[in-house]
Amino acid sequence: MLLFSSIVACNAGADWKKSLGLGKEKVSYLHFYFHDIASGTKNAMALIVAMADTTITSPTFFGMLNVVDDPLTQGPAITSKVIGRMPGIYALASQPEFSLFMGLNFLFTTGEFNGSTLTMIGRNPTMENVREMSIVGGSGAFRLARGFLLAKTYSANTVTRSFVVECEFTVIHY
């Protein structure tokens, strides 16, 4: 009965937005970089936590699971101003190509969006020049967010498994 009452209240018009403390819908464009520094280095922020028995023989490392807590920076240099962090997980989830399944939160720690998050989930075919992934939610200033992220590899060091990725977001939120 309570679930039915909630559904009826949401269909009552724009009052549901007001009851959630939401303002007018707007679009934000964000641009920054994340630094994925892999395990085995002194400053590792991406760690392998599991892999299948066959992962080591797979040409695409199929079955490897990683956790991350990467810094977000204004510019591509690791010494650029840190604006947040990117905690989450990703798995190498394709046998024929290098492709990740990613579930990430972008946590902003400075500026206009300090304390807010964006949540991204989706497929990242890493060998493509530009990859598009879905923004499926957020918190704080990004409550009920939706949109997309375009990711481009800015630099890659396959020996140390360290990558800098440029991110351009288009986000609809309240």
Side-chain angles (χ1 to χ4, degrees):
M1 186 69 164
L2 182 57
L3 178 60
F4 178 73
S5 297
S6 297
I7 292 169
V8 172
C10 285
N11 289 329
D15 289 340
W16 70 271
K17 291 180 188 178
K18 186 187 240 182
S19 71
L20 293 175
L22 301 175
K24 186 177 177 181
E25 192 173 75
K26 56 190 157 207
V27 179
S28 291
Y29 304 96
L30 307 172
H31 178 261
F32 53 83
Y33 298 80
F34 72 79
H35 301 261
D36 197 47
I37 302 168
S39 59
T41 65
K42 187 174 101 178
N43 299 317
M45 296 177 194
L47 302 174
I48 299 168
V49 294
M51 68 173 71
D53 293 338
T54 56
T55 297
I56 201 72
T57 60
S58 167
T60 61
F61 299 101
F62 178 71
M64 182 183 292
L65 178 66
N66 298 268
V67 295
V68 297
D69 188 15
D70 296 342
L72 307 176
T73 61
Q74 283 184 338
I78 192 69
T79 56
S80 295
K81 180 180 178 183
V82 174
I83 61 165
R85 305 217 49 88
M86 186 188 76
I89 60 171
Y90 63 83
L92 287 120
S94 177
Q95 291 186 45
E97 66 176 345
F98 280 104
S99 185
L100 308 174
F101 172 79
M102 304 183 85
L104 304 171
N105 284 310
F106 296 86
L107 167 63
F108 300 95
T109 56
T110 63
E112 175 184 359
F113 302 120
N114 185 19
S116 298
T117 65
L118 286 169
T119 302
M120 192 256 356
I121 192 163
R123 176 179 173 267
N124 182 354
T126 58
M127 300 310 285
E128 292 183 14
N129 288 335
V130 178
R131 289 94 62 192
E132 182 175 329
M133 291 163 271
S134 301
I135 300 300
V136 297
S139 66
F142 296 117
R143 184 181 292 168
L144 295 178
R146 63 197 185 283
F148 64 94
L149 151 66
L150 297 177
K152 298 178 224 169
T153 301
Y154 180 84
S155 66
N157 183 327
T158 56
V159 174
T160 62
R161 291 185 40 239
S162 298
F163 305 89
V164 178
V165 178
E166 181 178 12
C167 299
E168 294 179 13
F169 287 76
T170 301
V171 181
I172 301 168
H173 59 105
Y174 293 93

